[in-house]
């Protein structure tokens, strides 16, 4: 695949996820760790991981703490991902998940992370400017680090005007970035409700808000993800509901990132809207059926596509009907 088809994903608030298994975990007592695992996290990094597993080259940009970047370097080398992340003084934040299978509960312990300063931000924009010369696809994903301007994604979308920019973030950062006209946005239902300032209880209400958003600021596509209910894809005149099959869920972490990766992979391949919805949903269902941010085999994704039901929402607004 040509260098020009490389997708750039941007992660400004990465994590290192440490999953620790402790049966019968008890606060205020001595706890013995049964097993422990460290995984690179961060939403754009997850997207790059899914793309690379699909054979789609990816470059990562954003920030990484300089003091503990080894796990990322090894991960990128293993996946063939180009690393253009700015190194920031200090550590990438660590998110500890204490998984207690005996009591079926998880305890989260999140460290504060590095705070990128103004010079780091300018370096990131310098790199994005360089990458924009030879890349068409950019995926901007995840939360904004504490202390950073909520306008950072709007500034990125503006700097990348004319590129195929996919935006997946929430809150004020999302609200501001939308006005700069990203090419496609992928809110989940909670994020869309927050944006709309109202509860969206029916498929018709979700479609109404998604279609209105698709018409604004030059936004070409809106994908609203709804967990096990699937996702609504709005593109041009088309509104499709992709309903996943029932799957045995291992971990829903990164499901939205898999969906975003599948959208980009299918668009680069020139797939029609229904096939895009099918492939993206197959990426997502493959992701929830396993732990960690990656795809199983390409065959599994292919087989998953056949199990997705695509409904034209203009004809039926309830995926469970007919
Ligand atoms: N329990 C599930 N069963 C089947 N498919 C699922 C399930 N949960 C999520 N998916 C698939 O993953 C897609 C994205 O999931 P979801 O709407 O939860 O994204 P998200 O909230 O953005 O997730 P993230 O935590 O990664 O940001 C859904 O559209 C669906 O295709
Ligand atoms: Mg999400």
């Amino acid at each position: 695949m040509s260098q020009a088809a490389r997708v750039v994903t941007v992660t400004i608030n990465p994590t290192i996820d440490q999953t620790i298994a402790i049966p019968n975990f008890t606060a205020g007592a001595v706890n013995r760790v049964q097993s422990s695992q460290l995984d690179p996290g961060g939403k754009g990094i997850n997207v790059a991981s899914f793309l690379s597993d699909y054979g789609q080259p990816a470059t990562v940009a954003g920030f990484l703490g300089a003091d503990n970047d080894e796990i990322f370097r090894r991960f990128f080398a293993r996946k063939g991902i180009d690393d253009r992340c700015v190194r920031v003084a200090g550590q990438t934040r660590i998110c500890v998940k204490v998984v207690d299978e005996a009591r079926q509960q998880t305890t989260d312990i999140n460290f504060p992370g590095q705070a990128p300063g103004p010079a780091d931000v300018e370096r990131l924009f310098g790199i994005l400017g360089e990458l924009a010369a030879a890349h068409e696809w950019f995926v901007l994903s995840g939360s904004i680090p504490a202390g950073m301007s909520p306008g950072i994604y709007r500034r990125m979308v503006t700097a990348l005007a004319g590129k195929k920019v996919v935006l997946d973030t929430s809150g004020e950062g999302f609200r501001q970035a939308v006005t700069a006209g990203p090419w496609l946005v992928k809110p989940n239902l909670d994020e869309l409700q927050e944006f709309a300032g109202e509860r969206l209880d029916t498929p018709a209400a979700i479609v109404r808000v998604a279609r209105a958003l698709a018409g604004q600021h030059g936004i070409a596509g809106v994908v609203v993800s709804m967990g096990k209910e699937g996702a609504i894809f709005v593109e041009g005149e088309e509104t499709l509901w992709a309903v996943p099959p029932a799957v045995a869920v291992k971990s829903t972490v990164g499901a939205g990132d898999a969906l975003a990766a599948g959208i980009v992979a299918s668009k680069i391949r020139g797939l029609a809207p229904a096939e895009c919805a099918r492939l993206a949903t197959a990426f997502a269902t493959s992701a929830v059926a396993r732990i960690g941010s990656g795809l199983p085999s390409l065959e599994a994704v292919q087989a998953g596509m056949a199990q997705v039901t695509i409904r034209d929402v203009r004809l039926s607004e309830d995926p469970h009907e007919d």
Side-chain angles (χ1 to χ4, degrees):
M1 197 167 293
S2 73
Q3 185 69 12
R6 262 187 189 272
V7 177
V8 180
T9 73
V10 182
T11 309
I12 56 176
N13 203 12
T15 62
I16 295 175
D17 297 324
Q18 180 164 28
T19 309
I20 300 178
I22 304 178
N24 298 306
F25 173 72
T26 312
V30 174
N31 293 277
R32 292 193 197 288
V33 173
Q34 192 174 58
S35 67
S36 168
Q37 184 177 332
L38 282 176
D39 295 297
K43 302 186 79 61
I45 290 169
N46 291 342
V47 173
S49 169
F50 288 118
L51 287 171
S52 129
D53 287 355
Y54 195 65
Q56 171 62 55
T59 295
V60 284
F63 302 116
L64 287 178
D67 294 351
N68 59 351
D69 72 342
E70 160 113 27
I71 186 170
F72 291 99
R73 284 193 277 116
R74 275 189 273 125
F75 182 75
F76 298 151
R78 182 158 57 80
K79 297 247 176 188
I81 293 172
D82 267 2
D83 176 7
R84 297 296 308 277
C85 295
V86 173
R87 297 306 193 267
V88 174
Q91 298 207 335
T92 293
R93 68 201 164 113
I94 296 175
C95 296
V96 180
K97 277 193 190 319
V98 180
V99 178
D100 178 351
E101 285 206 357
R103 292 189 185 146
Q104 292 282 305
Q105 56 187 22
T106 302
T107 306
D108 288 287
I109 301 167
N110 295 347
F111 288 65
Q114 84 290 7
D120 300 315
V121 173
E122 293 321 305
R123 278 167 65 208
L124 170 61
F125 276 91
I127 288 167
L128 291 179
E130 284 169 27
L131 290 170
H135 296 77
E136 188 184 7
W137 292 90
F138 289 81
V139 182
L140 316 180
S141 289
S143 56
I144 297 172
M148 188 172 278
S149 160
I152 184 152
Y153 280 127
R154 183 184 54 198
R155 186 178 161 199
M156 276 189 221
V157 175
T158 303
L160 296 168
K163 301 289 171 184
K164 297 273 175 38
V165 177
V166 174
L167 174 72
D168 180 6
T169 188
S170 55
E172 183 59 21
F174 178 70
R175 184 178 302 284
Q176 291 196 22
V178 156
T179 64
W183 184 71
L184 185 141
V185 293
K186 192 225 75 65
N188 64 23
L189 182 54
D190 285 342
E191 291 159 352
L192 190 71
Q193 291 184 135
E194 191 189 352
F195 176 78
E198 59 176 308
R199 278 188 64 86
L200 303 170
D201 289 324
T202 63
I206 300 166
V207 168
R208 168 176 54 77
V209 173
R211 290 196 67 90
L213 187 54
Q216 287 170 30
H217 312 291
I219 297 172
V222 176
V223 178
V224 184
S225 66
M226 306 171 297
K228 67 176 174 7
E229 301 296 330
I232 289 175
F233 291 71
V234 175
E235 185 183 344
E237 289 306 301
E238 207 112 33
T239 303
L240 302 172
W241 189 325
V243 184
V247 290
V249 175
K250 291 250 174 66
S251 163
T252 57
V253 175
D257 309 329
L259 193 75
I263 293 167
V264 171
S266 66
K267 289 295 173 193
I268 289 176
R269 281 157 186 74
L271 299 189
E275 290 309 288
C276 166
R278 204 177 271 287
L279 180 63
T281 303
F283 264 56
T285 49
S286 317
V288 299
R290 69 199 293 275
I291 292 168
S293 76
L295 292 177
S297 63
L298 295 186
E299 292 72 30
V301 175
Q302 197 69 35
M305 284 180 78
Q307 295 182 292
V308 179
T309 307
I310 303 293
R311 287 170 200 263
D312 188 330
V313 184
R314 281 173 305 185
L315 304 177
S316 159
E317 291 186 342
D318 183 343
H320 303 300
E321 135 189 323
D322 99 13

